[in-house]
Amino acid sequence: MLPGVSTLGAPLTRALGPKTAKALAAAFGMGTVGDLLRHYPRRYYTRGELTDLSSLREGDHVTVLARVEHVGLHQMYGKGPSAGRAEVIITDDRAKLVLTFFFRNRGGQYIIKPLVPGMVGMFAGTVSRFRTRLQLVHPEYEMLPGAPPNADLTPELAAEFAAEMIPVYPASAKASSWMIARAVRTVLDPLDAGEDPLPAELRERHGLTGRAEAIRAIHRPLDQADLKRARERLKWDEAFLLQAALAQRRLAAAAMPAMPRPHVDGGIAGEFDARLPFTLTAGQVAVGETIAEELACAYPMHRLLQGEVGSGKTVIAIRAMLQVVDAGGQAALLAPTEVLAQQHYRSVTAMLGPLAQAGQLGAAEHATGAALLTGSVGAAARRSALSDVFTGDAGIVIGTHALLEEQVQFSDLGLVVIDEQHRFGVEQRDALRAKAADNRPHVLVMTATPIPRTVAMTVYGDLETSTLTELPAGRSAIATHVVPAADKPHFLERAWERVREEVTKGRQAYVVCPRIGDGPETDDDGEYPGEDDFGSVDMTGGIPRGIGEAGRRQPLAVLDVAATLDAGPLAGLRLGILHGRLHPEEKDRVMREFSAGAIDVLVATTVVEVGVDVPNATVMVIMDAERFGVSQLHQLRGRVGRGSAPGLCLLVTEAQPDTPSRQRLAAVAATLDGFKLSRLDLEQRREGDVLGAAQAGRHSSLRLLRLLADEDLIGLAREEATTLVSTDPQLASTRPSPGSPRTPSSYPCKL
Ligand code: ADP
Ligand code: MG
């Protein structure tokens, strides 16, 4: 090993030599000492506490801590005079496990030489079965230093004895846990961790250890308490750095000028309010006021509005859009799907009536124009829409990702609204935002996938959040039931009867399947490069899919299920089909027919997941329900019970009782509380999925931090980071310098 001090930024080739560095780079993509030191142990063995060998299962790749009990040598006939087999029994003092080594000649026996009965070691390999016994064949192993007779107690050996806890690292075939442990030890001893990124005064306030100490302790903890302190401190690093970056973004955004778009008396907005056929809920009023104030500020609003399906977010968005139009600007609404964009356009123009018919006969005095831009708008209509957007005649512009195209140029874009934010990435949000000329537009993003505050703070940390918690009065309840199709087949028959009954009453139904059933077998529509579902990053998907409980058959497909229903249980009813691979015009036609009641039962993929609003639909049957995520199921069932009649959602599954899948479905059936469900959803996912889905791995640096479990810590880190960044925007010093000109209070509106 090369001597000398190593820093976190030092390349591993220098610190460890090319061979080890290459192996670590290949296995984990590590390049620097810092990368290696952020590869934290997966768990720790406590000396004297052996692995429970009875818990091993065939096929598992395991690293176990056990004691050698017996070494037996056996001759192997017919393979040469000295060919043999060693059978080593290891034990946790209760159960036993066999290690098998083969060798061709006596020299081959060297591999088992260190395996001395009574010594403890770590053994790694894949558990296989030979006759009735579990075994590891040719495991890798490393013996822990026992008390070798007459050994010189070198300081190194002494340190080894002192360590109560032995780290076990995430390993791979090419880089074993102990190879990593050795590499860590090599860089750890001469490490200069550099300046602590957390100010001393902050560390003191929160009782945190120094970083260098924490890095040492997470790899080589003295005891549990030592480890706990280390983890706490390193979590703080992650939370603080993340929140500081987000605070910097907020500050940078706030430093950009925006055109204030204050409320104007006697404009369209006021008239719109007067025409509303219902009273706004208290929540809608409160959020509306916040937004109205922020739009009047000289820096851009960045607000996330979350609220249950049907909580009435759209009306809030329209009111904000009209305030901007009244103030002379334009407002754009970006929807994730063609179906949804059209639905928004229809309802906006209907609600505005003559207020949105500028230039037409009978238009109101202050009227504006509304334009629709989607992939399937015809060439002539598109030209005229583009021109209206360009001249500013269209104050309200609604569309899908077609809005993001280069040809779409605004006269004076003042507000960007993004519906169902969880379907979009940040890039799309930024692309639309970039269309405002000199000034940055105000931004309102909306989501019906409510997420806990810490997650919102972290995933959408550069946004302030508002939440609508109540539904407008007069909503019907949705009853949800699990239909166990495997153990109780007649329940499924009953489900189809229920669908028939509803149709007989003049109602409509959805049947949702995980797969389309033509062409490439994906279980969603993600492969279709067309209009809907484009590059959709779905915060609600990606859940453990069935985990092998529903057997190995293909997930049910729209086309197959529709054919089966048409020929059997639902014969005679008017069935329609909707999925992402249909042509956009076909999709629109099907949706319009369904809305008009010309289709009784719509068999669809999750394209109906967001925003679809057909109040006459009262039943939804979800096939292979265990294949959908918790939040996704919740979103889906939000399609029924939107009118005055109660909704019914049936979750059909072949998952066995008492499996995690069934428990998830039972949880969905048991509550309509979206926040509760989204917590449940998040708990079952790795943080990387959550963050990665939302922001394409921008924060992949999170190793220890758990968004739900560490809520309190994240909240504290956010406060600290915000304070620090407000006084030291560049984080030039780790100590806050008083008297910086850019304190929040120097802005015209509160931050
Ligand atoms: P979401 O939050 O899911 O986007 P919408 O904005 O689509 O919900 O609202 C769902 C339905 O509720 C719409 O038909 C809308 O007109 C209606 N709505 C919105 N606010 C109210 C209210 N305060 N009272 C009654 N109905 C409302
Ligand atoms: Mg909506």
Side-chain angles (χ1 to χ4, degrees):
M1 291 308 108
L2 308 182
V5 174
S6 66
T7 59
L8 292 174
L12 282 174
T13 38
R14 235 185 46 217
L16 299 173
K19 190 160 158 262
T20 312
K22 209 169 149 202
L24 291 174
F28 305 106
M30 295 175 187
T32 64
V33 167
D35 293 342
L36 172 61
L37 291 176
R38 273 191 300 275
H39 189 76
Y40 301 130
R42 191 160 48 84
R43 53 169 302 189
Y44 304 81
Y45 284 133
T46 305
R47 188 180 290 277
E49 204 175 273
L50 304 180
T51 312
D52 178 5
L53 294 178
S54 65
S55 68
L56 302 185
R57 283 172 318 178
E58 197 179 342
D60 287 351
H61 183 85
V62 297
T63 303
V64 299
L65 185 69
R67 183 190 325 283
V68 175
E69 186 174 87
H70 178 80
V71 178
L73 286 173
H74 305 267
Q75 230 187 324
M76 292 228 297
Y77 298 101
K79 300 263 164 140
S82 329
R85 174 171 59 88
E87 202 176 87
V88 178
I89 314 265
I90 59 172
T91 178
D92 61 2
D93 296 332
R94 291 170 303 264
K96 298 183 201 305
L97 182 68
V98 181
L99 313 179
T100 306
F101 299 87
F102 298 100
F103 48 88
R104 236 184 255 291
N105 51 49
R106 278 196 205 292
Q109 292 180 26
Y110 77 94
I111 43 170
I112 54 158
K113 200 156 162 259
L115 297 172
V116 179
M119 298 271 286
V120 171
M122 284 206 281
F123 305 87
T126 303
V127 180
S128 59
R129 183 180 294 280
F130 181 67
R131 304 228 168 93
T132 57
R133 296 184 318 188
L134 293 181
Q135 62 170 4
L136 299 178
V137 178
H138 279 273
E140 286 199 63
Y141 68 86
E142 173 149 304
M143 301 310 290
L144 302 185
N150 311 323
D152 285 337
L153 207 60
T154 60
E156 219 172 65
L157 204 51
E160 206 65 71
F161 279 127
E164 280 296 314
M165 299 171 68
I166 306 154
V168 180
Y169 289 91
S172 79
K174 292 238 170 60
S176 66
S177 174
W178 41 85
M179 187 261 234
I180 298 166
R182 216 173 284 138
V184 166
R185 200 174 315 154
T186 305
V187 301
L188 208 48
D189 288 340
L191 181 70
D192 172 4
E195 204 179 334
D196 199 312
L198 296 187
E201 151 291 310
L202 183 158
R203 290 201 309 264
E204 215 159 283
R205 220 160 343 107
H206 297 282
L208 301 172
T209 51
R211 180 165 70 161
E213 166 63 13
I215 293 175
R216 195 267 317 144
I218 195 153
H219 292 288
R220 321 214 63 195
L222 299 174
D223 51 32
Q224 288 291 350
D226 194 31
L227 175 63
K228 188 159 176 265
R229 278 192 301 274
R231 290 179 62 92
E232 181 77 3
R233 159 60 212 240
L234 294 171
K235 276 184 192 176
W236 257 90
D237 277 7
E238 293 180 3
F240 186 80
L241 292 180
L242 178 63
Q243 295 299 340
L246 294 170
Q248 280 174 319
R249 269 177 70 148
R250 279 199 301 275
L251 200 68
M256 296 280 220
M259 177 79 83
R261 315 278 181 175
H263 171 80
V264 175
D265 280 334
I268 310 178
E271 215 166 313
F272 175 80
D273 281 358
R275 286 158 161 263
L276 270 181
F278 46 73
T279 325
L280 294 174
T281 63
Q284 284 171 321
V285 171
V287 175
E289 275 168 12
T290 308
I291 292 175
E293 273 170 30
E294 287 180 337
L295 290 175
C297 287
Y299 65 84
M301 168 178 84
H302 289 126
R303 184 158 290 276
L304 169 70
L305 170 56
Q306 43 180 12
E308 285 286 344
V309 172
S311 59
K313 297 180 292 295
T314 316
V315 74
I316 294 179
I318 296 175
R319 292 176 77 230
M321 291 169 85
L322 293 179
Q323 175 171 334
V324 170
V325 171
D326 280 339
Q330 288 170 293
L333 191 159
L334 178 65
T337 64
E338 174 105 30
V339 168
L340 205 50
Q342 272 160 353
Q343 190 176 284
H344 277 317
Y345 180 75
R346 269 185 232 127
S347 66
V348 166
T349 46
M351 278 173 108
L352 288 176
L355 296 174
Q357 292 166 357
Q360 296 177 32
L361 218 56
E365 198 185 335
H366 311 292
T368 185
L372 174 68
L373 273 170
T374 69
S376 62
V377 166
R382 181 180 147 84
R383 258 197 309 277
S384 127
L386 283 177
S387 145
D388 287 352
V389 174
F390 182 70
T391 59
D393 285 350
I396 292 185
V397 183
I398 295 175
T400 54
H401 71 309
L403 277 183
L404 306 178
E405 284 163 16
E406 225 173 284
Q407 303 92 310
V408 183
Q409 291 179 31
F410 290 83
S411 156
D412 179 15
L413 180 59
L415 170 65
V416 165
V417 180
I418 297 181
D419 196 17
E420 305 298 349
Q421 150 83 7
H422 70 287
R423 289 293 196 111
F424 293 99
V426 225
E427 315 78 47
Q428 283 146 338
R429 192 168 90 204
D430 289 348
L432 188 50
R433 191 144 82 176
K435 295 206 177 271
D438 304 328
N439 296 312
R440 311 213 89 200
H442 299 281
V443 176
L444 174 66
V445 301
M446 307 196 286
T447 180
T449 302
I451 51 179
R453 197 175 129 70
T454 38
V455 180
M457 234 151 60
T458 308
V459 179
Y460 307 116
D462 54 338
L463 300 171
E464 304 296 330
T465 54
S466 300
T467 304
L468 284 180
T469 48
E470 59 188 328
L471 292 182
R475 281 296 150 76
S476 319
I478 305 172
T480 307
H481 300 287
V482 178
V483 178
D487 31 322
K488 307 227 169 73
H490 59 280
F491 277 32
L492 184 57
E493 288 161 30
R494 178 73 192 117
W496 300 128
E497 272 169 40
R498 285 290 290 119
V499 170
R500 266 185 182 286
E501 286 164 22
E502 288 298 309
V503 172
T504 310
K505 281 190 257 169
R507 306 290 181 194
Q508 290 161 283
Y510 298 94
V511 176
V512 179
C513 305
R515 207 160 59 88
I516 299 172
D518 65 344
E521 300 299 3
T522 60
D523 50 4
D524 58 30
D525 308 342
E527 288 201 356
Y528 177 67
E531 174 87 348
D532 286 7
D533 313 307
F534 63 95
S536 79
V537 278
D538 188 351
M539 286 277 299
T540 64
I543 282 295
R545 293 195 182 274
I547 324 177
E549 289 156 14
R552 299 271 174 249
R553 73 157 166 76
Q554 287 266 1
L556 291 172
V558 167
L559 300 180
D560 302 341
V561 168
T564 311
L565 291 177
D566 195 34
L570 301 184
L573 303 190
R574 294 168 301 173
L575 303 188
I577 284 176
L578 189 68
H579 59 73
R581 273 205 287 267
L582 290 179
H583 191 275
E585 275 165 31
E586 172 71 0
K587 263 186 270 190
D588 187 39
R589 187 187 60 76
V590 173
M591 242 0 261
R592 268 188 286 115
E593 282 185 23
F594 188 63
S595 302
I599 291 174
D600 299 318
V601 180
L602 189 61
V603 186
T605 57
T606 52
V607 285
V608 296
E609 176 186 335
V610 288
V612 171
D613 192 10
V614 177
N616 192 46
T618 48
V619 201
M620 175 173 282
V621 182
I622 304 181
M623 308 303 291
D624 282 344
E626 78 284 351
R627 293 186 180 264
F628 298 96
V630 167
S631 296
Q632 203 171 15
L633 291 170
H634 182 57
Q635 281 271 356
L636 280 169
R637 77 175 154 189
R639 304 304 114 215
V640 294
R642 297 177 79 83
S644 52
L648 174 66
C649 177
L650 300 173
L651 306 174
V652 179
T653 181
E654 287 181 10
Q656 296 301 313
D658 298 324
T659 56
S661 291
R662 276 288 280 275
Q663 283 157 6
R664 271 192 310 123
L665 296 182
V668 173
T671 180
L672 285 170
D673 182 338
F675 281 89
K676 225 186 209 172
L677 291 171
S678 87
R679 281 191 82 94
L680 188 76
D681 199 347
L682 289 164
E683 273 159 14
Q684 297 182 344
R685 249 174 316 156
R686 308 240 349 120
E687 316 304 292
D689 298 348
V690 177
L691 297 170
Q695 309 221 329
R698 207 164 57 88
H699 303 311
S700 56
S701 53
L702 298 196
R703 300 283 163 96
L704 300 170
L705 201 64
R706 293 290 169 259
L707 296 179
L708 292 174
D710 297 319
E711 263 177 319
D712 296 348
L713 192 157
I714 294 172
L716 290 174
R718 179 180 162 97
E719 277 168 32
E720 293 283 3
T722 308
T723 312
L724 185 61
V725 168
S726 68
T727 51
D728 180 10
Q730 303 308 317
L731 292 180
S733 69
T734 45
R735 250 169 292 115
S737 55
S740 163
R742 284 254 145 98
T743 53
S745 56
S746 67
Y747 285 100
C749 308
K750 71 175 165 42
L751 263 183

